[in-house]
Amino acid sequence: MVYFDNAATTIIKPKKSINEVINSIKNHGNPGRGGYPLSLNAAQKIFNSRLATANFFNSNSPERVVFTANATMSLNIAIKCFFNHDSHIIISCFEHNSVYRPVEKLKKTSNIKYNIFDVSLDNDEETIKNAVNLINENTGMIIITHVSNVCGKILPVRDIIKKAKEKKPDIIAIVDAAQSAGTLDIDINRDNIDILCVPAHKGLMGICGIGIMIFGDNLNIDEIMPTTILEGGTGINSLDTVMPADLPEHFEAGTPNTPAISALLASVEYIREQSLEKIYFHEKILYDKTIEILKSFKNIDLYSDFTSNNYIGSILFNIKNYKCEETARILNKNQIFVRDGYHCSPLAHTKLGTIDTGGVRISFSYHNTLKEIDKFYRVIKNL
């Protein structure tokens, strides 16, 4: 099996992450809900994971690390809880539906307006200018994906936020790091990110079932603490009729996914052992080799400008005279698993000119190999 759909989820997990899941299922009770060892051990494990995750993204405040059901839920909470009813929102033309749909919903149900800034495929300065030029006196939020899940374009997030806050200091910057966490260096405070949203099951090599929402230390959340979209038990302040104002409990209603949170701790430790630099360069070698292969065929369309280093993770292509689903079916039949279609991002496909056709996406992880790229080459050559 050659698994090239890591943008959807990373299949190969560190062994100790899998062992943590099994251990948690067997030995953890409901955290924060009891004074006996099974409950206390679960609570300790979750705190250790929260602390390790904060350190991984260079947050000084583990209580600002909130665990959700997935990155989509993290983004929905960040957008819907922190928007101002009369404000203006800016998003990029590469946003996933987990951003596009909530913002479109707010447009229909409140007084907000939003604009989409264009991303230049080969000129980051132009991208920065396009984003900042849309900021006006009512702009309250800018939402940016760090890496496109469709074509792997890396957006200049740090510089966009820097310029945006110079123009409007109180703007809230939300970053979707679904395709970059675990591969690219992210420092929530250095990069001036107010809310970072991440899944555990992709580049972080955890399992499905949890997302992460981290509030930057510079976000004065005590002044703008919103009403959450979830209410329920937290294990503290049970006599109160409202959710606790304290973090992370304010956003963590109900029983947490302790096995997945335990696995995240092991995965983060594994990534630190391997080093982000090593992971990045390994994936970059795979990426560049695949681009070289695809560019060697005259009947293959590539939907990005790959003359720079500002790409990682995902590649979108089509073979002329083949529908994308036909190409994917043939690859899948040869045990090369890819994804065809629109990848939950009509904005990206509109930008890339594939809104009428869709495309075939291949996406890599640290555990893919050059030998697998060679097999991909042989099958594509036959086509």
Side-chain angles (χ1 to χ4, degrees), residues 217-289:
D217 293 339
N218 296 324
L219 180 66
N220 195 343
I221 199 168
D222 292 332
E223 288 187 4
I224 60 173
M225 181 72 79
T227 300
T228 181
I229 58 176
L230 293 172
E231 287 82 32
T234 59
I236 65 170
N237 302 351
S238 294
L239 297 180
D240 290 350
T241 59
V242 297
M243 290 294 287
D246 302 318
L247 290 175
E249 288 84 4
H250 186 71
F251 294 100
E252 290 187 351
T255 299
N257 188 343
T258 306
I261 296 172
S262 300
L264 174 64
L265 172 59
S267 295
V268 167
E269 291 173 347
Y270 173 81
I271 292 170
R272 284 197 176 279
E273 291 167 3
Q274 299 298 310
S275 86
L276 276 176
E277 184 179 39
K278 182 178 178 182
I279 290 171
Y280 169 80
F281 280 111
H282 177 78
E283 291 190 24
K284 189 62 176 170
I285 289 170
L286 300 176
Y287 195 95
D288 291 346
K289 180 64 176 178

Side-chain angles (χ1 to χ4, degrees), residues 239-383:
L239 297 180
D240 290 350
T241 59
V242 297
M243 290 294 287
D246 302 318
L247 290 175
E249 288 84 4
H250 186 71
F251 294 100
E252 290 187 351
T255 299
N257 188 343
T258 306
I261 296 172
S262 300
L264 174 64
L265 172 59
S267 295
V268 167
E269 291 173 347
Y270 173 81
I271 292 170
R272 284 197 176 279
E273 291 167 3
Q274 299 298 310
S275 86
L276 276 176
E277 184 179 39
K278 182 178 178 182
I279 290 171
Y280 169 80
F281 280 111
H282 177 78
E283 291 190 24
K284 189 62 176 170
I285 289 170
L286 300 176
Y287 195 95
D288 291 346
K289 180 64 176 178
T290 305
I291 289 297
E292 180 185 335
I293 288 169
L294 292 172
K295 288 176 72 173
S296 70
F297 296 106
K298 294 181 179 179
N299 64 329
I300 287 182
D301 291 323
L302 274 171
Y303 298 103
S304 297
D305 184 326
F306 298 105
T307 57
S308 72
N309 288 321
N310 294 330
Y311 291 84
I312 196 72
S314 297
I315 300 171
L316 188 75
F317 72 97
N318 273 317
I319 300 178
K320 289 182 174 67
N321 301 319
Y322 282 83
K323 293 181 179 179
C324 64
E325 55 266 29
E326 291 180 288
T327 302
R329 178 180 56 80
I330 294 168
L331 287 168
N332 293 343
K333 187 177 179 181
N334 284 273
Q335 295 293 296
I336 300 174
F337 299 143
V338 299
R339 182 176 170 190
D340 61 278
Y342 293 101
H343 315 94
C344 302
S345 185
L347 289 177
H349 281 277
T350 298
K351 165 66 181 178
L352 297 171
T354 52
I355 195 63
D356 294 327
T357 62
V360 181
R361 182 187 71 186
I362 53 178
S363 51
F364 308 107
S365 84
Y366 181 53
H367 295 101
N368 289 124
T369 65
L370 285 171
K371 186 176 180 180
E372 292 175 329
I373 302 295
D374 290 338
K375 180 177 180 179
F376 171 76
Y377 169 74
R378 291 193 298 271
V379 175
I380 285 292
K381 186 177 181 181
N382 288 334
L383 289 174

Side-chain angles (χ1 to χ4, degrees), residues 3-18:
Y3 183 82
F4 282 164
D5 195 22
N6 293 280
T9 193
T10 299
I11 289 293
I12 298 178
K13 317 293 186 184
K15 288 182 179 179
K16 62 181 181 179
S17 301
I18 297 171

